Amino acid sequence: DLVKRFRKALDLCDRFVVSTGYLAEEFRKYKQEIVVAPNFVERAKWGSLTPKRRQGRKPRVGWAGGSSHEADLAIIADVVKALADEVEWVFLGLCPEGVRKLVEYHGGVVIEEYPAKLASLNLDLALAPLEDVPFNHAKSHLRLLEYGVLGYPVVCTDITPYRGDYPVTRVKNRFKDWTDAIREQVADMDELARRGDALRDHVNAHWILEDNLDTWLKAWLPA
C-alpha cells in the first residue's frame, strides 16, 4: 500500500517541494502544488577553496561519492584498468576492490569536511558516471556544481541531471566513449584547465546559493 500511504502523506502538505523538474513531473499525479527548488552550492563553504593543478607525475583523474554509487562506478571499472598507466586515479569515499590497487584512495569524511577534502584531491579532471536508471534520472546536478565550483573540468554520463547548458563533456556509458573522452581531455592540459575555468565561471554565475535565495524563499514561504 505504498502509493496509498504516499498520497495520504502528500494530502497533509500544502506544497510539495522537490529539487528537479524530473521529480516534479513524476509526482504530479499525486500532488498538484509542486514547486522545484533546485540545488545550489554555498559560497560560504566552497568559495575560498582553490585546488592546485598539475600536481602529479601524470594527470590526476578522480571521482567522489558514497556507498550508493557501486553500480555507477562499475561503468568505469574497466576504464580505470585501461588507463592505469596514463593517469593517476584518485577516488574519494568509495572504491571497488577490483581497482583499489590502481587508485589513490581517500576514505569518506563527515559532510562538514567534504568540500575541503574534495578540493585537497587537486584533480586535473573529474568524472561523474551514472547508471541509466530512473533513480539517477531523478537526481540533481549537484555533483557538477561541486566539481565545477572547484574548477575541476568534468566528463559525465549523458543523462537527465547533467544535460543543459553546463560546459561539461557528456558521454554514453560505453568503454570506448569514456576512454576516448578522458584521453582526449588529458592530452592538452592547457585546454583542460580552460575547461575547468569555464565550468567554475558558470557555477559562480548561476548556481551559488547566496545569489539565489529568492528562489528558495518562493519555494518554502506562502505565496
Side-chain angles (χ1 to χ4, degrees), residues 140-142 144-145 156 159-170 198-199 202-203 206-207:
S140 81
H141 60 332
L142 184 59
L144 299 189
L145 303 187
C156 60
I159 193 171
T160 302
Y162 297 158
R163 292 169 182 156
D165 60 351
Y166 320 110
V168 298
T169 300
R170 301 172 189 84
L199 182 55
H202 179 80
V203 173
H206 303 286
W207 297 104

Side-chain angles (χ1 to χ4, degrees), residues 160-179:
T160 302
Y162 297 158
R163 292 169 182 156
D165 60 351
Y166 320 110
V168 298
T169 300
R170 301 172 189 84
V171 297
K172 296 184 182 300
N173 282 336
R174 298 185 298 215
F175 171 82
K176 185 177 187 304
D177 294 58
W178 276 99
T179 52

Side-chain angles (χ1 to χ4, degrees), residues 81-96:
K81 297 173 184 176
L83 301 183
D85 294 331
E86 302 176 41
V87 305
E88 292 181 4
W89 287 107
V90 187
F91 280 22
L92 168 61
L94 175 69
C95 183

Side-chain angles (χ1 to χ4, degrees), residues 78-160:
D78 288 338
V79 178
V80 172
K81 297 173 184 176
L83 301 183
D85 294 331
E86 302 176 41
V87 305
E88 292 181 4
W89 287 107
V90 187
F91 280 22
L92 168 61
L94 175 69
C95 183
E97 289 298 329
V99 298
R100 180 72 66 90
K101 62 182 180 181
L102 305 174
V103 168
E104 177 188 310
Y105 174 62
H106 299 258
V109 296
V110 296
I111 191 64
E112 291 79 12
E113 298 174 5
Y114 173 67
K117 183 62 179 180
L118 186 60
S120 75
L121 301 182
N122 293 326
L123 301 181
D124 295 304
L125 176 64
L127 307 183
L130 281 181
E131 187 184 18
D132 189 358
V133 295
F135 179 78
N136 284 340
H137 281 277
K139 285 184 175 179
S140 81
H141 60 332
L142 184 59
R143 187 56 49 82
L144 299 189
L145 303 187
E146 293 171 346
Y147 287 154
V149 75
L150 297 176
Y152 292 158
V154 174
V155 175
C156 60
T157 298
D158 186 5
I159 193 171
T160 302

Side-chain angles (χ1 to χ4, degrees), residues 15 17 91 143 167 216:
R15 179 184 298 161
V17 181
F91 280 22
R143 187 56 49 82
W216 274 22

Side-chain angles (χ1 to χ4, degrees), residues 2-118:
L2 179 61
V3 172
K4 181 180 178 181
R5 288 173 178 268
F6 190 65
R7 286 185 185 276
K8 184 176 181 179
L10 289 186
D11 283 342
L12 299 174
C13 304
D14 296 306
R15 179 184 298 161
F16 189 34
V17 181
V18 297
S19 59
T20 70
Y22 184 96
L23 282 174
E25 290 306 312
E26 288 296 308
F27 290 126
R28 191 78 64 188
K29 56 182 173 287
Y30 302 114
K31 186 75 175 179
Q32 289 302 306
E33 180 65 15
I34 298 181
V35 175
V36 177
N39 281 324
F40 296 93
V41 286
E42 296 177 62
R43 181 181 292 113
K45 293 182 178 180
W46 296 86
S48 63
L49 300 172
T50 54
K52 298 177 181 178
R53 292 168 174 160
R54 307 188 193 191
Q55 294 299 295
R57 294 179 295 104
K58 295 175 286 188
R60 291 174 63 80
V61 181
W63 173 91
S67 58
S68 65
H69 289 277
E70 287 189 14
D72 301 326
L73 275 185
I75 295 168
I76 61 170
D78 288 338
V79 178
V80 172
K81 297 173 184 176
L83 301 183
D85 294 331
E86 302 176 41
V87 305
E88 292 181 4
W89 287 107
V90 187
F91 280 22
L92 168 61
L94 175 69
C95 183
E97 289 298 329
V99 298
R100 180 72 66 90
K101 62 182 180 181
L102 305 174
V103 168
E104 177 188 310
Y105 174 62
H106 299 258
V109 296
V110 296
I111 191 64
E112 291 79 12
E113 298 174 5
Y114 173 67
K117 183 62 179 180
L118 186 60

